[in-house]
Amino acid sequence: MADFFAAAPQLVGLFTPAASYQTGAFRDGDPASSEGLFAAKFWGQYWATLAALPALREGAAVVLMSGAASARPIGAPAYAACNAALEGLARGLAIELAPLRVNCLSPGTTDSDLWRNRAEDIRNSAYTAWAGMTVQGRPATVQEQAHAAIFLLDNTHMTGSTLYCDGGYTLR
């Protein structure tokens, strides 16, 4: 990863949105899903941010990605804990790396390839459940999440904050 950033021009921002992981119930005690989740989602963003530091120019921004389960878990406690840890990481890095700005985007269910690649019945069931749990009554679009990330990258006075782009999920 360091080689990638060493070859990059000076960056004005870093957004770390993607991770591949599984979630599971606490009672299942499955290390592969619980530890694998942290390895992919938390440590992946942690190490990517560290590797990018030399390539980030003064005044740059970093946007980490957690998930609304940090504030309102509905199961899969390791997933909720991982998302909360990422939000804490953003706050800690905002202090340590200042004047770099570090924020966290916390999306809710989003109509993205993650869901489109799942079976239609599973996707539709999840979307219906999500609609009933949010103020907006629907999943977000990828474009809405991208706009939220760009806001955090562009706003030069935001740092150490978590933006919940979840359609009001955390309000219910």
Side-chain angles (χ1 to χ4, degrees), residues 4-32:
F4 171 81
F5 288 112
Q10 288 287 284
L11 303 173
V12 297
L14 174 70
F15 179 39
T16 59
S20 179
Y21 52 83
Q22 292 182 310
T23 62
F26 179 78
R27 291 179 190 271
D28 292 342
D30 178 25

Side-chain angles (χ1 to χ4, degrees), residues 9-149:
Q10 288 287 284
L11 303 173
V12 297
L14 174 70
F15 179 39
T16 59
S20 179
Y21 52 83
Q22 292 182 310
T23 62
F26 179 78
R27 291 179 190 271
D28 292 342
D30 178 25
S33 63
S34 299
E35 294 175 13
L37 167 63
F38 272 86
K41 190 167 186 173
F42 179 85
W43 290 112
Q45 293 183 78
Y46 181 99
W47 295 119
T49 301
L50 181 63
L53 279 180
L56 292 168
R57 71 170 67 156
E58 188 174 327
V62 173
V63 176
L64 305 176
M65 182 178 270
S66 64
S70 65
R72 187 177 166 209
I74 55 173
Y79 180 68
C82 181
N83 288 317
L86 282 160
E87 294 171 15
L89 177 63
R91 290 188 299 273
L93 291 177
I95 292 168
E96 184 175 329
L97 301 180
L100 288 176
R101 294 173 296 104
V102 182
N103 292 291
C104 193
L105 175 59
S106 183
T109 296
T110 302
D111 184 16
S112 66
D113 286 343
L114 174 80
W115 285 102
R116 285 186 221 119
N117 290 331
R118 294 183 178 167
E120 185 176 359
D121 60 325
I122 293 171
R123 181 178 60 249
N124 290 341
S125 176
Y127 285 3
T128 299
W130 185 256
M133 293 186 282
T134 68
V135 175
Q136 292 293 314
R138 63 172 178 81
T141 66
V142 170
Q143 292 78 12
E144 288 167 329
Q145 299 299 354
H147 287 297

